[in-house]
Amino acid sequence: MEPILRGHFNKFKQAFEIVSTTASSEEDKKKDAKAFEKFVNYVLLSLDYPDIFTADAELLDFVCIGGGYDTGIDGIGIKVNDRLVRNSDEVSQITQANKKINVEFVFIQSKMQTKFDTSEFTTFGTGVKNFFSDGYLTENSKIKEFRDIKNFIYSDNKIISKLEKNPSIYLYYISTGTEPTDENFKRNLKLLKKELTEGGYFFDNVEVNVIGGKQLIKFCRELENKFEVQMNIIDIFPLIVDSKADVKKAYAFTCNASEFLKILEKEDGTLRRSLFNDNVRDYLGANGAVNSEIEKTITDNPEMFLLCNNGVTIVCSDFEQVRDKLVKIENPQIVNGCQTSNSLFNLKDTSNIKKAQLLVRLISTENLSISNKIVRGTNKQNQVLDEAFEATLPFHQETLEPFFLAFENDVKIYYERRAKQYNNDPLINKTQIVNLRILTQAFVGMFLNSPHTSHRHEAKLLEEYAGEKEKRKIFRDDHSPCPYYICTLTWYIFEKYFREEWIDKKYRPYNAHLYLIFKYSVGEFPPKQLIKSRALDAYCDKLLAFLKEPQFKNQIGKVLHIFDTTQNLWTESRSRFSIKDNKEFTDLLIQQSCEHFIQNQVPTTEKDAEIVYKGTIFRIKQENGHWYGFIKRGYQYENVYFDNRAYKGDIKELVYNKNVKFEMGNNDRSNFATNVELID
């Protein structure tokens, strides 16, 4: 096997913990060949949705059907509206959720050898034709499962009535060598395509592909978003960038929209969806106001598109101007312009696409922090809130999102890192999706012991708890993802109980307080630190056990009892109308929870160090012998109030733009600065 391809293959085996080494070399070859079949199935079926198998190894095993009585087929995929399905129920759910559906059948045969064998290819074709016949050849149980799905699709009246066109079929015959050029093999390929096209199978589209090692490597690079593209441009000019910035090159250029399709379109004519992994939003659909306006401009006034559209911003690893009007881009990521790109792709076959021009800003850098700054800056012009950029940080993208997808539990929770990320997946209930707001509020209330503040807008909570990297208390790079999953699962279970009226609605305003009580109900204090540790894993396992039935149903009565008891104690001397956002009530709640569940033990946690913020003096004003002022923190934050109680030095030193550091206090109305000190 070619060394680069072998590298991708080994990386795949490591990622899926596939061991192909035994005491017998002959056995090793068999296991390696079987692993190669799985590798090829993974690559080819992931091209449309790069993360489809990331948290679903069971689906990967399902599509791998090679073995005894496989009729020459190693992999099968049935796609309904671009989604791989594994049973008729999934087909029905997708059908019910859509007005129109498309069906695709994918068949794969792969050989870990350099030669392309004509007889093996013929056997592969015969197996595919047998699949769409009455089944004269003996098929294994896995193929029969796919046959059942196929039969359901072809026999269900609802599905047939919603078919936009006849199903399409794609065949892939793969080997590690160079694609064959001999006429005999080519004639067999044409014959198979003709038989599938004209043999009464009624496919809308038939494609028979023979793929060698180089093409397979190219597909692997596509999955990792490692590819390069050359495109012709119209005008180009460099952008001036400070030499201190970690940016190799920066340019702006214009090009024909049809030329930009070279970036968007894969070789098989489908959209390269992995281009948008770093985008703040997923595609919001053609019916939205913005996207319908984009497509209307292309359709009605394509010559005005350059003037009416903001263009796209691309971050890439390298960029080269090959010659005057030809550029080469390596590993592009579209960080702003997802809506524009999808709209252009939707209209790629229209005649007016050739008349439209596009503005492209291109930044070459391999620095992740620079890329995130560009994502933030280029999206500022749109109505994207500051808090949306929190979700672009590595902890969300590389830790939380994969963890949520991979976590095995009775209830599946999906972290929607980008707006409408799971909107087009009919198999995911809306109740299973949590976003940054829910995650932030639930974590602050449950694990930061602050249910009295957790109802605030997530932007305010992030400002308070996710400040400077070293000081932040939430979404820290060294945090374990487990508590974040647990708090969202807690949110889900409580919401379910509220929705099904197992919990009286009078408790709903205090749901975060109930999360906090539930945390202590396991009978021990949580670890002081939320970094990855055995102690934290053990504690989360206990919480997870209580979030299952019937344990939770037994526990909820105890949780509500503690809340009622605490509320009664509170109202003996104080008003019951101020408990929701009162820290003293939270303290009493923790005390009662500990006394009841942890046998009167007292928490020994030390007081967390206050977060220190930095800013500059913005304004000082004197009135009636008193003075007050405001500290400017940055364009994305409100100015912070302070007065003589927060600063003990000489007021004359508080000149405009003077650097200061301070801590943050808050009350029911707003935040304010405390312990203000000058910075030299």
Side-chain angles (χ1 to χ4, degrees):
M1 191 183 300
E2 200 274 339
I4 296 177
L5 182 58
R6 170 65 71 176
H8 287 292
F9 179 40
N10 289 338
K11 185 177 180 180
F12 164 80
K13 289 195 293 182
Q14 181 179 1
F16 283 87
E17 298 183 359
I18 297 173
V19 179
S20 58
T21 304
T22 66
S24 167
S25 59
E26 199 61 36
E27 188 66 24
D28 288 352
K29 290 180 181 179
K30 291 180 181 179
K31 288 195 172 185
D32 229 23
K34 185 61 65 177
F36 184 75
E37 292 176 7
K38 180 174 283 192
F39 166 64
V40 171
N41 293 339
Y42 166 80
V43 171
L44 293 178
L45 293 173
S46 294
L47 287 174
D48 283 339
Y49 290 94
D51 297 323
I52 193 168
F53 298 118
T54 299
D56 201 347
E58 182 183 348
L59 179 60
L60 181 55
D61 288 336
F62 179 72
V63 301
C64 297
I65 57 89
Y69 300 108
D70 60 17
T71 67
I73 304 170
D74 293 326
I76 300 179
I78 299 179
K79 295 182 180 181
V80 180
N81 281 16
D82 295 327
R83 178 184 173 86
L84 283 174
V85 294
R86 66 187 103 196
N87 53 55
S88 57
D89 288 340
E90 291 186 0
V91 178
S92 295
Q93 289 173 330
I94 296 173
T95 303
Q96 291 171 8
N98 293 274
K99 293 181 179 179
K100 293 291 183 181
I101 62 170
N102 293 303
V103 177
E104 298 175 9
F105 294 96
V106 181
F107 295 88
I108 302 168
Q109 169 63 275
S110 52
K111 295 294 181 182
M112 199 171 67
Q113 61 189 27
T114 56
K115 69 174 182 176
F116 287 83
D117 191 293
T118 303
S119 62
E120 289 175 346
F121 177 77
T122 302
T123 301
F124 173 48
T126 301
V128 173
K129 289 182 289 184
N130 182 75
F131 182 83
F132 290 97
S133 70
D134 292 333
Y136 298 104
L137 301 178
T138 304
E139 297 173 330
N140 63 33
S141 59
K142 285 193 170 185
I143 296 181
K144 288 178 181 178
E145 288 186 70
F146 280 101
R147 178 180 284 276
D148 290 341
I149 300 172
K150 182 260 298 183
N151 290 340
F152 177 73
I153 291 173
Y154 278 103
S155 62
D156 187 88
N157 289 332
K158 288 183 180 179
I159 297 174
I160 295 172
S161 66
K162 289 188 176 185
L163 281 175
E164 194 167 19
K165 54 188 177 182
N166 284 337
S168 296
I169 184 170
Y170 301 88
L171 277 65
Y172 298 93
Y173 181 57
I174 297 95
S175 187
T176 62
T178 303
E179 290 88 345
T181 57
D182 65 278
E183 287 301 318
N184 184 47
F185 194 97
K186 288 182 178 180
R187 282 195 294 269
N188 275 274
L189 189 151
K190 290 179 181 178
L191 176 61
L192 176 58
K193 184 170 183 177
K194 182 178 180 180
E195 290 174 340
L196 291 172
T197 304
E198 302 174 0
Y201 298 102
F202 303 106
F203 294 120
D204 180 74
N205 182 44
V206 176
E207 288 191 20
V208 182
N209 303 278
V210 178
I211 296 172
K214 288 185 178 180
Q215 183 63 43
L216 193 55
I217 291 172
K218 190 179 292 186
F219 287 157
C220 291
R221 290 172 63 83
E222 277 192 23
L223 281 179
E224 297 174 354
N225 202 39
K226 292 182 178 179
F227 72 99
E228 65 180 45
V229 63
Q230 291 191 10
M231 54 188 293
N232 295 299
I233 60 173
I234 300 172
D235 295 301
I236 185 170
F237 56 89
L239 301 176
I240 306 301
V241 181
D242 193 307
S243 58
K244 295 180 181 178
D246 192 6
V247 173
K248 296 178 183 178
K249 305 166 188 173
Y251 288 88
F253 62 82
T254 57
C255 65
N256 289 322
S258 56
E259 194 71 15
F260 188 68
L261 290 172
K262 290 181 178 179
I263 292 179
L264 301 179
E265 191 173 12
K266 296 190 299 185
E267 291 185 3
D268 62 359
T270 58
L271 178 65
R272 198 184 301 275
R273 293 183 177 90
S274 58
L275 284 168
F276 310 105
N277 286 345
D278 291 340
N279 216 276
V280 174
R281 296 192 190 102
D282 272 350
Y283 179 52
L284 303 180
N287 295 326
V290 173
N291 294 334
S292 60
E293 190 67 27
I294 291 174
E295 297 195 8
K296 188 176 186 298
T297 302
I298 298 171
T299 303
D300 298 344
N301 302 103
E303 58 281 340
M304 292 295 294
F305 189 74
L306 181 64
L307 301 179
C308 297
N309 187 269
N310 290 329
V312 302
T313 302
I314 293 176
V315 173
C316 66
S317 61
D318 205 1
F319 172 82
E320 178 184 350
Q321 192 169 356
V322 179
R323 54 178 183 266
D324 187 32
K325 300 296 184 181
L326 181 67
V327 298
K328 181 174 74 172
I329 305 171
E330 295 184 7
N331 309 326
Q333 271 285 306
I334 297 176
V335 298
N336 179 251
C338 178
Q339 312 309 313
T340 295
S341 298
N342 277 268
S343 297
L344 289 171
F345 186 81
N346 289 342
L347 299 175
K348 66 185 178 73
D349 295 324
T350 61
S351 58
N352 278 358
I353 197 74
K354 297 179 180 179
K355 301 177 184 178
Q357 294 182 8
L358 182 71
L359 174 66
V360 179
R361 287 173 293 273
L362 190 140
I363 298 95
S364 175
T365 181
E366 293 180 339
N367 187 320
L368 180 61
S369 63
I370 296 292
S371 180
N372 282 332
K373 287 179 181 178
I374 294 168
V375 172
R376 184 185 184 93
T378 54
N379 281 279
K380 271 293 177 180
Q381 60 188 310
N382 301 322
Q383 292 182 356
V384 181
L385 301 176
D386 283 329
E387 58 270 18
F389 298 101
E390 168 68 33
T392 66
L393 298 178
F395 184 72
H396 296 267
Q397 190 170 352
E398 300 171 10
T399 301
L400 287 183
E401 187 175 12
F403 184 86
F404 273 67
L405 287 171
F407 198 91
E408 294 291 336
N409 191 43
D410 298 340
V411 177
K412 190 76 174 176
I413 303 295
Y414 297 87
Y415 175 33
E416 188 178 65
R417 191 175 58 82
R418 295 176 287 166
K420 298 190 177 182
Q421 186 172 348
Y422 299 105
N423 215 41
N424 296 322
D425 194 331
L427 301 185
I428 299 177
N429 295 327
K430 299 296 184 184
T431 54
Q432 295 173 263
I433 298 174
V434 297
N435 54 19
L436 182 67
R437 175 184 61 83
I438 293 170
L439 181 56
T440 302
Q441 292 177 339
F443 186 86
V444 167
M446 187 171 179
F447 283 99
L448 296 186
N449 289 2
S450 296
H452 51 282
T453 65
S454 64
H455 60 277
R456 296 175 181 171
H457 193 282
E458 65 269 27
K460 288 289 184 183
L461 295 176
L462 290 171
E463 181 179 342
E464 182 174 355
Y465 296 106
E468 297 178 33
K469 184 176 181 180
E470 297 77 13
K471 303 291 184 180
R472 60 166 50 206
K473 296 181 179 179
I474 187 173
F475 304 132
R476 290 179 59 96
D477 290 340
D478 59 355
H479 272 184
S480 165
C482 197
Y484 294 88
Y485 178 85
I486 291 293
C487 71
T488 54
L489 182 60
T490 303
W491 165 85
Y492 170 85
I493 298 295
F494 271 93
E495 286 298 305
K496 181 175 184 291
Y497 267 59
F498 277 121
R499 189 168 58 250
E500 297 177 358
E501 299 183 352
W502 288 98
I503 303 177
D504 195 298
K505 291 183 179 179
K506 70 178 183 179
Y507 294 103
R508 181 169 280 283
Y510 312 106
N511 55 352
H513 295 79
L514 301 183
Y515 305 162
L516 181 63
I517 300 171
F518 174 75
K519 181 183 74 171
Y520 286 105
S521 73
V522 299
E524 63 181 71
F525 292 115
K528 295 180 182 179
Q529 302 293 329
L530 296 178
I531 60 176
K532 297 175 183 177
S533 65
R534 291 182 179 178
L536 182 61
D537 288 344
Y539 182 76
C540 288
D541 285 344
K542 289 184 178 180
L543 284 171
L544 188 63
F546 276 89
L547 286 167
K548 297 180 183 295
E549 299 293 4
Q551 293 90 328
F552 186 81
K553 186 174 288 187
N554 296 332
Q555 201 72 0
I556 192 62
K558 301 175 184 178
V559 170
L560 297 178
H561 172 72
I562 293 299
F563 182 86
D564 290 339
T565 301
T566 307
Q567 188 178 43
N568 291 336
L569 285 172
W570 179 266
T571 54
E572 287 178 1
S573 58
R574 284 161 288 197
S575 170
R576 65 183 177 88
F577 295 107
S578 60
I579 65 176
K580 180 179 178 179
D581 53 4
N582 195 308
K583 185 179 183 303
E584 291 183 15
F585 179 77
T586 297
D587 293 339
L588 182 61
L589 201 65
I590 293 174
Q591 178 189 334
Q592 290 297 310
S593 298
C594 292
E595 289 180 359
H596 184 85
F597 294 113
I598 317 181
Q599 301 178 348
N600 297 320
Q601 295 179 32
V602 179
T604 57
T605 55
E606 298 178 1
K607 183 179 182 296
D608 291 331
E610 293 293 337
I611 299 175
V612 178
Y613 300 89
K614 294 180 180 179
T616 58
I617 298 298
F618 179 66
R619 179 178 296 170
I620 299 293
K621 190 170 183 179
Q622 294 190 4
E623 287 183 357
N624 302 323
H626 297 283
W627 65 266
Y628 64 91
F630 292 91
I631 299 172
K632 185 177 181 181
R633 291 189 58 200
Y635 72 91
Q636 69 268 49
Y637 300 111
E638 295 179 1
N639 296 332
V640 185
Y641 171 89
F642 77 112
D643 54 32
N644 59 302
R645 292 171 294 181
Y647 180 70
K648 305 305 180 183
D650 188 346
I651 186 177
K652 295 179 181 179
E653 297 177 321
L654 299 178
V655 297
Y656 174 75
N657 231 23
K658 183 69 175 178
N659 293 323
V660 294
K661 62 181 180 179
F662 59 96
E663 296 170 4
M664 192 82 80
N666 60 74
N667 53 31
D668 294 342
R669 293 174 296 177
S670 63
N671 294 326
F672 54 86
T674 64
N675 300 326
V676 178
E677 297 180 16
L678 300 177
I679 301 176
D680 295 331

